[in-house]
């Protein structure tokens, strides 16, 4: 099996910027955590990364566990 790309090693500056953006969105915006997870899941679908889709769908499911709408979405 081919190893996955390690973004932190390939481009540390881009990785740091990405983490900074997520931190800003989570702390400074009024978006619900479940919505942030759904956006990340959709971005992974658009990118076609099965690993990321799996990871973000699990995170979204955890964020939406008490939400009936979440069960219908996932």
């Amino acid at each position: 099996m081919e190893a996955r790309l390690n973004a932190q090693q390939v481009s540390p500056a881009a990785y740091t910027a990405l983490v900074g953006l997520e931190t800003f969105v989570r702390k400074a915006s009024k978006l619900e955590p479940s919505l942030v997870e759904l956006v990340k899941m959709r971005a992974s679908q658009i990118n076609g990364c099965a690993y990321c889709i799996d990871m973000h769908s699990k995170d979204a499911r955890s964020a939406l566990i008490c939400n009936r709408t979440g069960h219908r979405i996932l």
Side-chain angles (χ1 to χ4, degrees):
M1 178 180 227
E2 188 176 330
R4 299 210 38 87
L5 172 75
N6 185 335
Q8 191 172 10
Q9 284 181 344
V10 173
S11 181
Y15 183 81
T16 301
L18 185 62
V19 170
L21 175 63
E22 181 172 356
T23 301
F24 174 79
V25 168
R26 288 191 180 274
K27 291 183 179 181
S29 75
K30 295 181 181 180
L31 296 176
E32 296 176 23
S34 57
L35 179 58
V36 173
E37 294 300 336
L38 289 173
V39 169
K40 289 166 54 176
M41 189 173 80
R42 181 61 184 137
S44 298
Q45 290 171 333
I46 292 169
N47 292 332
C49 179
Y51 174 83
C52 293
I53 292 169
D54 181 59
M55 177 180 57
H56 294 309
S57 66
K58 288 176 184 173
D59 293 343
R61 187 173 288 115
S62 293
L64 291 165
I65 200 74
C66 297
N67 184 336
R68 298 183 108 198
T69 302
H71 290 291
R72 289 193 297 263
I73 292 171
L74 301 173

